[in-house]
Amino acid sequence: MIQKTVPAPADLGIEVIGVPQGSDVELDLKLEAVVEGVLVTGTATVQLHGECARCLDDIAYEETFDLQELFFYPGREVEDDESVVVDETIDLDETLRDAVVLELPFTPLCSDDCLGLCPECGFNRNDDPAHSHGEKIDPRWEGLSELLGETDN
Ligand SMILES: [Zn+2]
Ligand SMILES: [Zn+2]
């Protein structure tokens, strides 16, 4: 096993969540020579930073992703999505990108039961689950309540 910490490449993420460029990526890799090339398997542990889709709070957590990629020896025709050993080194950026980006949640949440923001005033309801603006009168009944108010007089 090879254990290595490398800086995260740029754009390792999607709009709402991702790995900050330059943050630590811990790689735990096994390299096996196979007939066609080098088979890389293992895991990458990254620091994810994002924004809760409901309450917009910052989210930060660590997650481990599985990696597997066959790097073909040079001199062989490869498809666009296949990798090649170049100058006796392998470039894991694309492998990392495929493993991490495809697994990221499109609507990350700070917690599964996040209460989100108040639709009326934007208050973060996680700070006070009892937050409310009182009973709202249905606008269709406003005329009626005025009428009733008049008869009360
Ligand atoms: Zn939230
Ligand atoms: Zn409110």
Side-chain angles (χ1 to χ4, degrees):
M1 283 297 240
I2 299 172
Q3 280 168 330
K4 207 169 184 242
T5 302
V6 299
D11 303 322
L12 189 59
I14 54 179
E15 201 177 326
V16 285
I17 191 162
V19 183
Q21 184 178 358
S23 64
D24 282 354
V25 177
E26 289 167 40
L27 298 171
D28 237 311
L29 302 175
K30 197 170 94 177
L31 273 60
E32 286 172 273
V34 294
V35 179
E36 309 95 320
V38 179
L39 178 66
V40 178
T41 51
T43 58
T45 302
V46 300
Q47 310 300 319
L48 290 171
H49 284 251
E51 200 174 67
C52 175
R54 284 189 202 151
C55 72
L56 309 180
D57 253 8
D58 286 344
I59 318 175
Y61 61 100
E62 194 178 271
E63 188 142 324
T64 300
F65 297 89
D66 289 327
L67 301 179
Q68 179 169 21
E69 182 92 37
L70 176 59
F71 289 83
F72 290 99
Y73 290 129
R76 179 186 180 284
E77 282 210 13
V78 292
E79 305 289 330
D80 274 355
D81 60 347
E82 291 179 332
S83 306
V84 187
V85 181
V86 180
D87 297 333
E88 293 177 16
T89 62
I90 53 174
D91 183 357
L92 280 173
D93 281 8
E94 274 310 307
T95 308
L96 198 58
R97 208 176 300 281
D98 290 348
V100 173
V101 174
L102 297 178
E103 295 291 323
L104 292 174
F106 286 113
T107 52
L109 297 176
C110 61
S111 81
D112 283 342
D113 50 9
C114 172
L115 298 170
L117 300 177
C118 170
E120 279 177 60
C121 70
F123 177 80
N124 186 342
R125 290 191 289 194
N126 297 306
D127 293 339
D128 178 12
H131 173 81
S132 105
H133 295 269
E135 286 288 310
K136 275 280 283 184
I137 297 169
D138 189 311
R140 283 171 298 180
W141 297 110
E142 259 169 30
L144 187 64
S145 59
E146 273 168 31
L147 220 66
L148 290 172
E150 276 170 26
T151 52
D152 270 358
N153 287 337

